Amino acid sequence: MKKFILSLIATLGIATGAQAAGGGAVAWDKAPVDVSNQASLQNGAKLFVNYCLSCHSAAFMRFNRLQDIGLSEQEIKDNLLFTTDKIGETMIAAIDPKQAKSWFGANPPDLTVIARSRAGSGGSGADYLYTFLRTFYRDETKVTGWNNLAFPNVGMPHVMWELQGQRRAVFEGDHFKGWEQITPGTLSEQEYDQQVGDLVNYLQWMGEPAQAARKNIGIGVLIFLGIFIVIAWKLNAAFWKDVK
């Protein structure tokens, strides 16, 4: 129960922090987004279900749409569905919205298009999320014990701290200088960045699952128009060749 409550507070906090997409103490890092990388998307989907879906819904995404990233129906059922879920259903959070509103004053926002909606002057929404999830640090002055460089004073703990470990931010005045590792995580820094990259990659894909097909169709349309222009020009020359 304690872990569940902390997870809930964390997911609420990320939504609050994302609202400040234009601020933060550090520049946003470029997210390694590649929606053609199915292995990355599959791992990101697993991370999304394990770390996000208990509190945040993705109400415009159905579980069976994950077949578009190379997962079979059986793999989705075995690894990504909760006991009461069906593969044709949308990704609805386990938490009761009425209870969430009563406990915290607001329902956790839907994450279907979170990566598309958080773009700012610092970069894309994916860049913001990638930076945000990698810049938590211990801060005993905060109620949760955590703070964040991308969104200072964010009201959430670090739900993935067991993977990254606990760190303290080193400041010189108001300027961030680096990290001091307090306890190690189960992953190395590079491995953790890769996991966050996969999660953000999945969030980017989920915002528009058909984006790869859209781009391919767009290229096909441009090729067709190019060929048609040549044909139209030739026809026009043939029709008017005898007109003086």
Side-chain angles (χ1 to χ4, degrees):
M1 178 59 70
K2 182 178 179 181
K3 187 174 182 180
F4 174 78
I5 295 298
L6 287 175
S7 177
L8 176 61
I9 295 172
T11 50
L12 285 171
I14 191 172
T16 303
Q19 293 177 359
V26 293
W28 298 353
D29 294 327
K30 184 67 177 177
V33 171
D34 178 7
V35 295
S36 66
N37 186 338
Q38 289 197 341
S40 172
L41 293 175
Q42 291 172 13
N43 186 47
K46 179 188 71 174
L47 292 166
F48 177 78
V49 170
N50 289 336
Y51 287 95
C52 306
L53 195 54
S54 59
C55 300
H56 284 281
S57 293
F60 300 97
M61 173 61 61
R62 296 186 182 278
F63 284 101
N64 57 12
R65 192 65 192 265
L66 298 178
Q67 293 177 89
D68 291 356
I69 60 175
L71 294 171
S72 68
E73 183 173 321
Q74 194 59 47
E75 287 174 330
I76 297 170
K77 289 179 179 179
D78 292 342
N79 302 311
L80 299 176
L81 289 183
F82 295 111
T83 305
T84 58
D85 290 329
K86 293 181 174 59
I87 193 167
E89 295 178 338
T90 55
M91 295 181 170
I92 301 299
I95 191 172
D96 185 332
K98 293 182 179 180
Q99 289 181 331
K101 188 172 184 179
S102 174
W103 293 343
F104 301 99
N107 293 327
D110 189 276
L111 295 185
T112 309
V113 294
I114 188 69
R116 299 183 66 189
S117 66
R118 299 306 179 185
S121 59
S124 69
D127 296 339
Y128 171 76
L129 294 172
Y130 182 64
T131 305
F132 179 79
L133 291 170
R134 293 165 48 253
T135 55
F136 277 96
Y137 63 93
R138 273 296 184 187
D139 187 345
E140 290 75 14
T141 67
K142 306 305 176 186
V143 175
T144 63
W146 294 95
N147 208 331
N148 190 278
L149 287 182
F151 183 67
N153 302 316
V154 64
M156 65 169 288
H158 184 9
V159 292
M160 301 174 73
W161 72 269
E162 291 179 316
L163 302 180
Q164 189 183 31
Q166 301 182 73
R167 302 188 298 178
R168 182 177 291 109
V170 179
F171 292 93
E172 186 175 291
D174 293 332
H175 299 286
F176 172 69
K177 302 299 292 184
W179 300 108
E180 177 188 345
Q181 195 76 28
I182 303 173
T183 60
T186 58
L187 302 177
S188 68
E189 181 179 353
Q190 294 74 21
E191 290 170 336
Y192 178 77
D193 288 352
Q194 180 63 53
Q195 293 296 299
V196 173
D198 289 347
L199 174 57
V200 172
N201 197 32
Y202 171 76
L203 292 171
Q204 178 72 24
W205 172 84
M206 185 170 64
E208 188 186 356
Q211 57 189 282
R214 170 178 58 78
K215 292 176 181 178
N216 290 334
I217 291 173
I219 292 172
V221 169
L222 290 174
I223 293 173
F224 168 78
L225 290 175
I227 295 173
F228 180 76
I229 287 173
V230 174
I231 295 174
W233 179 74
K234 292 290 187 181
L235 286 173
N236 180 74
F239 290 153
W240 290 93
K241 66 180 181 179
D242 295 326
V243 178
K244 298 181 180 179

